[in-house]
Amino acid sequence: MAFPVGFGWGATTAAYQVEGGWDADGKGPSVWDTFSHQGGERVFKNQTGDVACGSYTLWEEDLKCIKQLGLTHYRFSLSWSRLLPDGATGFINQKGIDYYNKIIDNLLANRVTPIVALYHFDLPQALEDRGGWLAEATIESFDEYARFCFSTFGDRVKQWITINEPKMFVLMAYEVGTFPPGVPHPGTSGYQAVHNLIKAHVRAWRSYDSLFRKEQKGMVSLALFAGWVEPADPNSVSDQEAAERALAFHLDFFAKPIFVDGDYPEVVKSQVASMSQKQGYPSLRRPQFTEEEKRMIKGTDDFFAVQYYSSRLVKHQENHKGELGILQDAEIETFPDPSWISLDWVYVVPWGIRELLKYIKDTCNNPVIYITENGFPQGDPAPLDDTQRWVYFRQTFQELFKENMLPLGGNSHSDKKGKYLGFCFFHSSL
């Protein structure tokens, strides 16, 4: 298997998962610091990210690993509260700037391209205390933070992710409560958070486009988590419709407004409206975009960053009891094929990524697509002869080669559309 010229190998980390130094050198607390310190098994074995991988003090060791692996790209996230301890530019932490300048400069000196995520679930606690992602004021705070980062690091960083996996964040934080703030309100808070996250991305993208793009010549998008789904019974109309709803609620919820027409999928709107009526709500449980907002949202992308791990089968599951929840509104049940090999939650379905990329190509105006996360969980303990993981990767790439999806060289804003992949990143967080 020969990889084309321009193909890139990379790894991905997230600030809270690897940095440690939770209160070092002027860093303010994030929601994850607060959440993990509360105890009560809110986090597995009451673990915290206080030390994590110690990357804040051991970055040079991480750099050695990056060089040893021969990576061409490294995607990492910035800790908002390390740079702006209270979430605003009124108090800027120079030690935080120095730390990220060191990472960026070291990467470039070793011919490794940095890709930087502004937000990977670790909102400054000061902003959460004022309402967090349920408050519209956080949209303005995020835009201020994004402009600060573009101004501070954008002379060297040319590829930006505004928000990492907003769907997963919303489900875990506001539907289930296993992510901070940890106070779930299924079927209501999640929709408001989705609304504000989309508008925050849009504000940041528009700021980059109007204030920084001409000089910095970079690219900005957001990273969307998505698995592929197939009807449990391919001959069942209800299962086929369930698969369409699953994609609409899991992927198109964010992709359609940004990449297509500025508004939520019609099936999402109709499902929530129908369920709200059945549940006796006097109005929709889901906020709506104004016509002006739709015009501002549409086209706020420079590439499509997708994060794929696995696939599921799906069938219709009517919400007879009128339970509240985003997934309950979708009226679906997802499950793996019993023949699929798995480790933890990842089932090995290599053809799923090919189907997903084709779907994105066909429904999102044929964007340039970057796989910004993909991979297979390590065993416990991780085996030295890691056969399962390299088989997963090999089969995944075999599927991508079937339709000439690999890749793309180049990474400029003017890249021609109609190609599938820019670079592949293999998830390496905790």
Side-chain angles (χ1 to χ4, degrees):
M1 185 183 297
F3 291 92
V5 174
F7 182 80
W9 292 98
T12 298
T13 59
Y16 182 74
Q17 291 174 306
V18 300
E19 285 183 3
W22 78 277
D23 62 350
D25 295 336
K27 177 186 174 295
S30 75
V31 290
W32 267 107
D33 295 319
T34 302
F35 187 77
S36 64
H37 291 166
Q38 289 171 344
E41 293 290 336
R42 305 189 83 177
V43 179
F44 181 66
K45 294 184 179 180
N46 285 322
Q47 295 174 344
T48 73
D50 292 3
V51 177
C53 299
S55 191
Y56 185 67
T57 55
L58 298 173
W59 160 248
E60 287 75 11
E61 297 301 312
D62 291 345
L63 183 62
K64 290 178 183 177
C65 293
I66 290 170
K67 293 165 65 177
Q68 183 181 24
L69 287 168
L71 301 182
T72 58
H73 293 73
Y74 179 63
R75 195 193 99 176
F76 63 98
S77 74
L78 305 175
S79 167
W80 187 342
S81 61
R82 191 178 297 284
L83 290 165
L84 308 177
D86 62 1
T89 54
F91 174 26
I92 297 171
N93 181 20
Q94 185 61 44
K95 291 289 185 67
I97 295 175
D98 294 343
Y99 171 62
Y100 293 119
N101 273 334
K102 178 173 65 174
I103 292 177
I104 293 166
D105 291 343
N106 287 172
L107 290 171
L108 291 172
N110 287 278
R111 298 183 180 181
V112 178
T113 299
I115 298 183
V116 177
L118 296 174
Y119 179 74
H120 196 124
F121 310 160
D122 51 348
L123 190 72
Q125 183 62 44
L127 295 182
E128 182 60 43
D129 292 342
R130 298 196 288 271
W133 285 112
L134 301 183
E136 286 208 12
T138 303
I139 299 169
E140 177 61 38
S141 296
F142 183 77
D143 184 38
E144 180 186 38
Y145 164 59
R147 284 185 276 114
F148 166 78
C149 293
F150 297 150
S151 176
T152 305
F153 308 115
D155 58 327
R156 290 151 292 156
V157 175
K158 304 304 176 183
Q159 289 177 286
W160 295 92
I161 300 291
T162 54
I163 298 166
N164 179 76
E165 295 186 352
K167 182 208 78 174
M168 289 304 299
F169 166 66
V170 166
L171 291 180
M172 301 305 285
Y174 297 102
E175 291 285 301
V176 182
T178 53
F179 282 10
V183 185
H185 297 284
T188 54
S189 297
Y191 287 119
Q192 185 62 58
V194 166
H195 207 66
N196 290 343
L197 285 161
I198 289 175
K199 292 200 285 187
H201 159 78
V202 170
R203 286 284 298 274
W205 191 94
R206 293 288 179 191
S207 288
Y208 189 86
D209 197 50
S210 62
L211 301 175
F212 301 98
R213 187 187 302 281
K214 184 177 180 181
E215 180 179 347
Q216 296 182 359
K217 298 178 174 58
M219 301 192 297
V220 181
S221 194
L222 77 173
L224 301 180
F225 176 93
W228 182 245
V229 294
E230 286 284 340
D233 179 356
N235 297 314
S236 166
V237 173
S238 65
D239 285 1
Q240 293 171 10
E241 292 174 346
E244 293 175 2
R245 291 197 304 276
L247 286 168
F249 274 83
H250 283 282
L251 176 62
D252 299 342
F253 211 160
F254 288 90
K256 183 175 176 288
I258 292 164
F259 293 87
V260 182
D261 62 7
D263 199 10
Y264 295 117
E266 291 301 320
V267 68
V268 170
K269 294 193 288 185
S270 64
Q271 279 289 125
V272 179
S274 174
M275 292 304 301
S276 297
Q277 186 178 30
K278 291 179 182 178
Q279 292 156 344
Y281 277 78
S283 61
L284 282 177
R285 289 180 281 107
R286 174 191 59 79
Q288 303 178 70
F289 294 123
T290 67
E291 292 303 314
E292 177 61 24
E293 286 172 339
K294 292 176 188 178
R295 286 190 289 271
M296 291 295 292
I297 293 166
K298 180 182 177 181
T300 52
D301 66 277
D302 296 323
F303 56 94
F304 197 116
V306 65
Q307 310 195 155
Y308 170 89
Y309 290 91
S310 193
S311 295
R312 294 292 188 272
L313 301 178
V314 62
K315 67 178 181 180
H316 174 70
Q317 179 65 58
E318 189 169 349
N319 187 1
H320 291 289
K321 298 180 180 179
E323 296 179 18
L324 284 171
I326 292 176
L327 298 183
Q328 287 76 8
D329 285 338
E331 294 192 299
I332 57 173
E333 179 184 355
T334 62
F335 50 93
D337 187 305
S339 68
W340 294 344
I341 299 171
S342 71
L343 182 60
D344 198 4
W345 59 276
V346 174
Y347 289 81
V348 182
V349 191
W351 51 263
I353 193 170
R354 177 166 51 86
E355 294 294 338
L356 177 64
L357 295 180
K358 186 176 186 304
Y359 178 83
I360 294 170
K361 175 182 183 294
D362 292 343
T363 62
C364 294
N365 290 319
N366 198 17
V368 170
I369 302 173
Y370 293 79
I371 299 176
T372 44
E373 280 187 27
N374 176 249
F376 195 70
Q378 69 179 29
D380 188 15
L384 292 176
D385 183 12
D386 200 354
T387 305
Q388 282 184 304
R389 185 175 283 110
W390 67 254
V391 168
Y392 174 94
F393 288 145
R394 183 183 66 183
Q395 292 177 347
T396 296
F397 284 116
Q398 285 173 337
E399 289 294 326
L400 296 177
F401 271 96
K402 283 183 179 179
E403 296 189 24
N404 295 318
M405 293 182 181
L406 292 175
L408 286 197
N411 59 357
S412 70
H413 179 56
S414 61
D415 272 341
K416 188 186 298 182
K417 288 194 174 186
K419 299 178 180 180
Y420 279 92
L421 302 182
F423 307 98
C424 276
F425 297 95
F426 301 121
H427 194 262
S428 61
S429 299
L430 291 181

